[in-house]
Amino acid sequence: MLRSTLSPVLTFRLKMVDSQYYLPNDIGISALDCSEAFRLLSPQEKMYAHYLSRASWYGGLAVLLQTSPESANIFVLLQRIFRKQTPAQLEQVATAAGLSSEEYQAFLVYAAGLYANMGNYKSFGDTKFIPNLPKDKLKALVWASQAFQEQPAEMEALWDSCSCLLYSLENRQKQLGLGDKGITTYFSGNCCLEDAELAQKFLDSKKLSAYNTRLFKKEDGGKTCYEVRLASAVQKDCAVDGECESCCGSFSFEDKEFTVKRGDYSPIMEKVCYYLEKAQTYAANENQRKMLEEYTRSFTLGSIEAHKEGSRYWIKDKGPIVESYIGFIESYRDPFGSRGEFEGFVAVVNKAMSERFAKLVSSAEVLLPELPWPQEFEKDTFLKPDFTSLDVLTFAGSGIPAGINIPNYDDIRQTEGFKNVSLGNVLAVAYATQKEKLTFLEEGDKDLFIKWKGPSFEVQVGLHELLGHGSGKLFVQDDKGKFNFDQSKVINPETGEPVSSWYRGSETWDSKFSTIASSYEECRAECVGLYLCLNKQVLSIFGHEGQDADDVVYINWLSMVRAGLLGLEFYTPDSKSWRQAHMQARFVILRVLLEAGEGLVGLEEVTGEDGKPDARITLDRSKIPTVGKNAIHRFLCKLQVFKSTADVEGGRAVYDNYSTVSDTGAHNFLRLRETVLLRKEARKMFVQANTRISGDSVELVEYEGSAAGLIRSFTERFQDDAEQLESSLLELSKQDAPCWC
């Protein structure tokens, strides 16, 4: 009865809203091409790249255990099916089991999606995705598979362990989050925000980083106890060689009991260490050898200090042909914002593009003073980083970014340096756009957008990573009481008064700003990109002059405004929460530019040619250098001042205000969100090559850009020890199963 009372448009909207939990059969899947870059490597460099890739791929499996209770079990189920039968071989079985060709394709797309995201939640947006075919059809396919024929009891048990959660779309399971806001396996199911805050205070008191930890809460005789687990190969809690004393043990803190233990993901970390040790033999220099030694120590003992030491050697390894980084790196998916997801990448330098980035680095000291905050709020000296364009060979984790600024340790970035990388072959594939799929733009802008989207994004990535994440000073008072600024003289430009707050002791940007830290910092870096792309010198470095340069600026700003609208897909109205740091940041920038007024940005709701709701964005390019620049100038200065002074209250108030999505005011953003969902395009997936040793040399094994190709790349990735590895994953998943209830 209810269905008949709904308007056709609303019925369509409801149907489309549900579709965000499926991956469409026609989702873009592209092979990440690195064949030419790999071919040019020496035999030693190929061996080095091979073993680092192995370490990365094995470490990336930890992401399954960091994502959801069921991810590891689904992964093993799929691996067992596809190890026995390729997608092509399984197709006949699927037809015999009663699946249509569309249903079988939906199964392949789901499997590819699970592999590409390293779990059953989207790496970009954190929403759950489920198979777009009936559960009984999927069960029939599993039962008909060769894997089931050979091991029916084991396969049935595996299906029973994950099939309910595999399909469940209960409210809490629709997205990642903490407590009743979503699913997370960084915390046990009974943890809430207050538990996360208390644990952070405890970790700070012990000078322990949260990056490689998970938190489990238990009740023991009416007393609340917390277990902090460190990711490590070693499971002993006693002092270990290389540490002066153990960080493990039991501690009383604010009337609660805390226990720190090693051994999280132990079998996986063992594999990572094994391959890092193999890679050492082929290191090009002493910095690489020392770096790998420290990484191995970090993953053996669960020591972030060792990882920081490895990162110091990594920074010193200037201009390597094979570039890599590995560890618990980005904190986007921890609902509290301080635990890192495992990732590892191996890539080869693209020399032509890297020359442009080197010129940008050389210009940094001229460009930094143009940023809109006082000199005292900028680092005392700019530590010139490596900035290279890389072709990715391996990127293990939940997804592949377009650019990276690392390490994420602020104390190292402030005083010792960092590196920037732009991932060229990712950019080439990810931002190729078809005109018919371009939403929310005027027809007159579409051809220009297609022509300049790639080049403008290249400029934005360069500025975002180098001068966005690489700029700005944190005011710190260390444990000995020493300040890194003159607190009697530095004036807060927002208040006109002397600076009255700063970071103390072991406090960090992540630990202070916690839940908003990632998105706030991405917003700051995006604003730096918008602001500095107006500089003619910057545009010239990237080869853009005259009208072309003006077009690059226009499309860069237009892309940001459009991305702000597209960002609404990643907002959950029920919990009033954002699920993706970058997209929240871009929505905030859209709000800032709309607020600037004077006709700079137009956003209106319209009806599309198909009769369904649509929206249209306009940007007055003549006002970008005046109205637009002034708006970003004011906002960027605020962001930096709050960050520098550790003013969480002020920063959160401003950022939360611009992040608010409501149906009141000049724009009904809640209704616009429904329109965005109606017309969204699924994010592309990448198929990555494998490497294998053949005699004395290393071969590159490539796959087609399809769901079947992506699946084959994963089943062939872990051939050597598949059964043992799958058994370890199931055991790790089973051990923690009671913690998620």
Side-chain angles (χ1 to χ4, degrees):
M1 288 294 292
L2 178 64
R3 189 175 299 169
S4 64
T5 65
L6 296 175
S7 73
V9 167
L10 188 52
T11 304
F12 183 78
R13 270 191 168 151
L14 290 172
K15 186 179 174 205
M16 291 304 291
V17 168
D18 287 343
S19 78
Q20 70 180 301
Y21 304 109
Y22 300 108
L23 300 176
N25 276 11
D26 63 352
I27 191 169
I29 302 176
S30 300
L32 205 54
D33 181 22
C34 65
S35 54
E36 182 63 12
F38 187 79
R39 185 183 66 79
L40 295 171
L41 294 178
S42 70
Q44 178 182 338
E45 289 162 348
K46 286 180 180 177
M47 281 290 189
Y48 183 67
H50 168 73
Y51 284 119
L52 284 176
S53 292
R54 301 308 293 153
S56 298
W57 285 122
Y58 277 95
L61 295 172
V63 177
L64 295 164
L65 301 160
Q66 291 182 293
T67 299
S68 72
E70 65 274 15
S71 284
N73 291 40
I74 301 170
F75 176 87
V76 173
L77 179 73
L78 294 172
Q79 286 289 87
R80 289 191 173 171
I81 290 170
F82 289 117
R83 276 200 293 112
K84 295 293 181 184
Q85 291 166 294
T86 65
Q89 291 167 336
L90 195 63
E91 186 168 13
Q92 296 172 338
V93 176
T95 304
L99 277 71
S100 67
S101 59
E102 289 78 14
E103 287 168 337
Y104 183 61
Q105 179 63 18
F107 168 62
L108 294 184
V109 164
Y110 176 79
L114 187 113
Y115 288 133
N117 292 279
M118 259 302 127
N120 59 337
Y121 287 76
K122 295 174 188 174
S123 66
F124 199 87
D126 293 345
T127 42
K128 188 173 188 175
F129 57 95
I130 66 172
N132 192 13
L133 72 159
K135 186 176 178 181
D136 61 337
K137 291 285 188 81
L138 179 53
K139 182 177 180 180
L141 176 58
V142 173
W143 257 246
S145 69
Q146 185 70 31
F148 191 93
Q149 303 307 311
E150 292 181 14
Q151 293 184 305
E154 290 90 335
M155 288 294 286
E156 185 167 359
L158 191 47
W159 170 264
D160 289 343
S161 73
C162 63
S163 56
C164 286
L165 286 174
L166 193 150
Y167 271 94
S168 174
L169 281 177
E170 289 182 19
N171 279 339
R172 188 176 164 221
Q173 285 156 358
K174 286 180 178 178
Q175 66 280 316
L176 299 179
L178 185 57
D180 59 2
K181 291 195 170 181
I183 292 298
T184 180
T185 47
Y186 287 104
F187 299 87
S188 56
N190 54 356
C191 284
C192 61
L193 185 59
E194 288 73 21
D195 297 306
E197 289 169 341
L198 178 65
Q200 187 63 57
K201 284 187 198 171
F202 165 73
L203 290 168
D204 287 345
S205 76
K206 290 289 173 190
K207 293 188 167 50
L208 273 175
S209 169
Y211 269 121
N212 65 340
T213 69
R214 291 196 293 169
L215 184 71
F216 296 82
K217 176 181 171 183
K218 297 170 184 174
E219 301 295 331
D220 189 4
K223 185 165 176 131
T224 302
C225 306
Y226 295 95
E227 180 180 297
V228 175
R229 278 199 218 152
L230 308 177
S232 69
V234 164
Q235 299 188 53
K236 293 184 290 184
D237 287 347
C238 56
V240 179
D241 289 346
E243 286 191 340
C244 53
E245 62 179 45
S246 178
C247 58
C248 299
S250 294
F251 310 90
S252 187
F253 183 80
E254 294 194 6
D255 296 327
K256 301 288 192 294
E257 198 70 28
F258 277 84
T259 304
V260 180
K261 288 185 172 181
R262 286 192 177 87
D264 214 4
Y265 326 119
S266 174
I268 293 171
M269 294 297 105
E270 278 181 24
K271 282 286 190 184
V272 175
C273 294
Y274 171 79
Y275 284 113
L276 288 178
E277 286 172 356
K278 289 271 195 186
Q280 277 185 51
T281 308
Y282 301 97
N285 54 53
E286 195 61 18
N287 278 325
Q288 286 183 1
R289 270 188 288 279
K290 292 279 193 187
M291 169 187 84
L292 295 178
E293 275 177 22
E294 292 296 340
Y295 289 164
T296 304
R297 194 161 73 88
S298 173
F299 303 137
T300 301
L301 304 180
S303 167
I304 289 296
E305 285 306 313
H307 194 268
K308 288 172 85 167
E309 198 58 31
S311 299
R312 290 185 172 100
Y313 286 113
W314 179 69
I315 293 165
K316 292 174 190 170
D317 184 29
K318 300 287 187 186
I321 301 299
V322 177
E323 184 61 282
S324 70
Y325 197 63
I326 189 169
F328 295 87
I329 313 297
E330 301 292 356
S331 54
Y332 301 126
R333 295 182 97 186
D334 168 15
F336 188 66
S338 58
R339 284 153 191 80
E341 184 175 75
F342 194 96
E343 69 180 39
F345 77 82
V346 184
V348 183
V349 171
N350 176 320
K351 290 180 181 174
M353 181 56 67
S354 296
E355 282 177 20
R356 294 187 197 174
F357 288 136
K359 287 180 187 171
L360 189 63
V361 172
S362 298
S363 307
E365 285 160 295
V366 178
L367 296 170
L368 280 169
E370 288 201 13
L371 291 170
W373 47 80
Q375 184 183 345
E376 296 85 356
F377 286 73
E378 191 47 68
K379 292 181 183 130
D380 301 335
T381 54
F382 179 70
L383 301 161
K384 286 189 176 181
D386 251 14
F387 196 167
T388 48
S389 177
L390 306 174
D391 284 343
V392 170
L393 167 65
T394 292
F395 206 112
S398 65
I400 311 180
I404 322 169
N405 174 291
I406 34 184
N408 284 339
Y409 306 118
D410 280 319
D411 51 342
I412 294 179
R413 286 216 299 219
Q414 290 247 71
T415 59
E416 297 174 60
F418 53 91
K419 285 187 186 181
N420 293 280
V421 297
S422 173
L423 304 178
N425 58 343
V426 175
L427 282 169
V429 174
Y431 296 97
T433 310
Q434 294 172 283
K435 188 172 180 178
E436 58 273 18
K437 291 189 175 181
L438 262 185
T439 51
F440 311 129
L441 295 179
E442 292 190 307
E443 280 302 313
D445 281 331
K446 288 184 179 180
D447 288 332
L448 206 61
F449 190 93
I450 288 167
K451 181 178 180 181
W452 293 111
K453 178 69 176 86
S456 72
F457 195 72
E458 185 180 280
V459 173
Q460 180 69 12
V461 167
L463 294 171
H464 172 115
E465 300 297 347
L466 175 68
L467 300 171
H469 293 315
S471 66
K473 180 173 181 171
L474 302 186
F475 296 148
V476 179
Q477 181 184 18
D478 66 21
D479 287 331
K480 295 175 183 172
K482 185 182 175 186
F483 290 86
N484 70 343
F485 69 105
D486 189 338
Q487 78 273 23
S488 65
K489 291 184 180 174
V490 178
I491 300 299
N492 182 325
E494 295 296 311
T495 64
E497 303 289 327
V499 165
S500 58
S501 59
W502 47 82
Y503 298 85
R504 299 166 195 270
S506 59
E507 290 178 343
T508 65
W509 161 250
D510 280 330
S511 71
K512 285 290 282 183
F513 281 72
S514 67
T515 54
I516 65 164
S518 290
S519 183
Y520 187 110
E521 174 59 11
E522 293 305 330
C523 187
R524 195 182 69 86
E526 292 284 44
C527 286
V528 168
L530 286 181
Y531 193 76
L532 289 180
C533 81
L534 294 165
N535 183 291
K536 299 293 182 192
Q537 182 184 350
V538 167
L539 295 163
S540 180
I541 287 168
F542 284 90
H544 307 305
E545 306 281 355
Q547 184 61 46
D548 286 357
D550 292 343
D551 287 345
V552 165
V553 169
Y554 175 57
I555 295 305
N556 194 34
W557 279 64
L558 184 63
S559 296
M560 188 64 69
V561 171
R562 178 174 179 263
L565 179 61
L566 295 177
L568 287 167
E569 176 190 342
F570 303 93
Y571 177 77
T572 303
D574 294 345
S575 58
K576 294 186 166 65
S577 61
W578 285 90
R579 307 184 313 275
Q580 214 293 319
H582 298 79
M583 299 312 277
Q584 179 182 358
R586 291 159 187 163
F587 176 76
V588 165
I589 292 169
L590 169 63
R591 292 283 309 276
V592 169
L593 294 177
L594 282 167
E595 185 182 86
E598 299 187 47
L600 173 68
V601 174
L603 172 58
E604 61 173 333
E605 296 183 64
V606 297
T607 300
E609 289 181 7
D610 55 6
K612 295 165 192 162
D614 206 341
R616 199 68 69 239
I617 287 166
T618 54
L619 173 67
D620 186 337
R621 64 189 295 165
S622 70
K623 292 177 179 171
I624 293 172
T626 53
V627 181
K629 185 178 182 182
N630 290 339
I632 295 297
H633 182 288
R634 290 190 299 271
F635 184 59
L636 190 47
C637 187
K638 270 190 208 304
L639 291 179
Q640 183 57 50
V641 169
F642 291 137
K643 182 182 179 183
S644 290
T645 58
D647 184 354
V648 180
E649 194 176 323
R652 191 176 284 279
V654 166
Y655 203 68
D656 285 351
N657 175 53
Y658 282 113
S659 298
T660 301
V661 178
S662 74
D663 55 4
T664 59
H667 299 94
N668 185 334
F669 286 114
L670 281 174
R671 190 167 63 220
L672 278 164
R673 175 182 173 274
E674 292 178 8
T675 302
V676 169
L677 287 172
L678 279 175
R679 300 189 177 276
K680 75 185 180 72
E681 184 184 0
R683 195 170 173 82
K684 287 179 181 172
M685 297 193 287
F686 298 106
V687 183
Q688 298 183 59
N690 282 322
T691 54
R692 68 175 172 220
I693 295 176
S694 177
D696 297 330
S697 61
V698 180
E699 292 178 349
L700 188 71
V701 184
E702 296 179 281
Y703 304 89
E704 66 176 25
S706 66
L710 207 161
I711 291 163
R712 289 197 67 174
S713 73
F714 268 88
T715 48
E716 293 180 12
R717 200 155 275 152
F718 305 104
Q719 281 177 317
D720 299 345
D721 57 353
E723 290 186 12
Q724 179 197 345
L725 182 66
E726 290 161 13
S727 176
S728 295
L729 282 170
L730 292 178
E731 185 55 36
L732 289 169
S733 180
K734 184 180 175 183
Q735 284 170 11
D736 290 336
C739 301
W740 318 125
C741 301

